Amino acid sequence: MRLDDLDRRIVALLCEDARFSYADIGAKVALSAPAVKRRVDRLRATGVIRGYTALVDPAALGWTTEAFVELYCTGRTTPAQIERATRRHPEVVGSYTVSGGADALVHLRAADISHLEEALERLRAEPFVTQTQSMIVLSRLVDRPASGPATS
Amino acid sequence: MRLDDLDRRIVALLCEDARFSYADIGAKVALSAPAVKRRVDRLRATGVIRGYTALVDPAALGWTTEAFVELYCTGRTTPAQIERATRRHPEVVGSYTVSGGADALVHLRAADISHLEEALERLRAEPFVTQTQSMIVLSRLVDRPASGPATS
DNA sequence: GATGAAAACCGTAAAAT
DNA sequence: ATTTTACGGTTTTCATC
């Protein structure tokens, strides 16, 4: 889908605060509320905007520990296989196939160290996993949802 | 801050769709709209909810390339230094200090390979960076904003 | 253990956007 | 139509008797 400048500004505003009303947005981009709604509906329908979510502090919900795990897999492991396997684990917040030594990188979030250990154990038990290498997150310095791309 | 069951259900609903009205949420948790608003206001004030954002498909905005970069730093590099440095780059969507061989892991998102290369070059030019190791993302398999913690 | 003040919380209703 | 403010009533908490 092709986006014009107004579309991009609307997306940027919704990234900044997804609860802006159509009138709020309209005031900032010089459009009427219905006109904004039409564009937003189109952006949703075409998959540019996939949804809206609250940004929650994981620690406030008791999720204090996270890690990035490099996955090494057996020869003929497909991305689809890795996706199905990693998606099943609720502790997985991100999963990517990557170039380099490892085959995949998995982002885990757990309640505490023992929970993380347990989740890691479950991940290692996947039949196609031959080896893992973990990086425990000591502190989250930057965590930008999707705003980065939109603003620049 | 202590969260009761209603708070957790409200947070989960806002993670599911940040544009639910207070009345919508109230209907689902058996509370009036003002009661929901009071709780949401408190959740925002205490930092449990940090904000609301649209979930945007990066590719739709022309951000087609991403990478994870392990940063190796000089002896007395502080997390604050790494934060300041990485935050300055608009391509950085995530930055973490980690245990293991590397000192930090940086999540980059760029328009294309050459843009990524350029951003990486800028990152490597930071005075405290001694070495980097990059993993180019081949495909994003799972990407869960914050829903994981909230739902379980 | 009972009692009464204080805090926390909810709902209805009205006002503002 | 939704958000926000204002008010009145109820429940919980907790210190004191």
Side-chain angles (χ1 to χ4, degrees), chain B residues 31-32 34-35 38-39:
Chain B
L31 240 57
S32 71
R38 275 191 291 267
R39 293 178 96 106

Side-chain angles (χ1 to χ4, degrees), chain A residues 50-140:
Chain A
R50 294 195 319 227
Y52 307 97
T53 192
L55 298 171
V56 176
D57 176 16
L61 278 79
W63 254 244
T64 62
T65 311
E66 53 188 307
F68 287 91
V69 181
E70 293 176 279
L71 249 52
Y72 295 79
C73 305
T74 56
R76 264 194 258 331
T77 309
T78 65
Q81 248 178 300
I82 300 175
E83 169 171 358
R84 260 182 285 122
T86 53
R87 188 182 290 280
R88 269 193 289 113
H89 302 269
E91 295 85 0
V92 172
V93 296
S95 169
Y96 312 84
T97 54
V98 292
S99 75
D103 298 295
L105 183 69
V106 178
H107 185 182
L108 292 177
R109 201 164 275 171
D112 50 44
I113 288 284
S114 73
H115 180 193
L116 183 68
E117 187 179 14
E118 184 235 321
L120 188 58
E121 211 50 54
R122 255 185 287 127
L123 204 60
R124 289 175 60 104
E126 294 290 345
F128 56 80
V129 175
T130 61
Q131 195 192 332
T132 61
Q133 177 131 3
S134 302
M135 293 177 269
I136 307 285
V137 170
L138 302 174
S139 64
R140 190 171 38 248

Side-chain angles (χ1 to χ4, degrees), chain B residues 3-47:
Chain B
L3 300 167
D4 65 13
D5 195 56
L6 275 139
D7 290 322
R8 274 186 289 270
R9 285 172 65 193
I10 290 171
V11 168
L13 284 165
L14 283 172
C15 284
E16 199 185 301
D17 187 344
R19 287 185 70 91
F20 279 141
S21 73
Y22 296 130
D24 287 339
I25 297 166
K28 300 194 190 209
V29 302
L31 240 57
S32 71
V36 173
K37 178 181 156 32
R38 275 191 291 267
R39 293 178 96 106
V40 172
D41 285 347
R42 191 164 49 90
L43 289 164
R44 279 226 63 171
T46 55

Side-chain angles (χ1 to χ4, degrees), chain A residues 1-75:
Chain A
M1 175 197 174
R2 263 200 74 71
L3 300 168
D4 65 14
D5 194 55
L6 274 132
D7 289 324
R8 274 186 289 270
R9 286 172 64 194
I10 290 170
V11 168
L13 285 165
L14 283 172
C15 285
E16 198 184 302
D17 186 345
R19 288 185 70 92
F20 278 143
S21 72
Y22 296 131
D24 287 339
I25 296 166
K28 300 192 191 211
V29 301
L31 240 54
S32 73
V36 173
K37 176 170 162 40
R38 272 194 295 273
R39 282 177 180 260
V40 171
D41 285 348
R42 191 165 50 91
L43 290 164
R44 279 228 57 173
T46 55
V48 175
I49 295 176
R50 294 195 319 227
Y52 307 97
T53 192
L55 298 171
V56 176
D57 176 16
L61 278 79
W63 254 244
T64 62
T65 311
E66 53 188 307
F68 287 91
V69 181
E70 293 176 279
L71 249 52
Y72 295 79
C73 305
T74 56

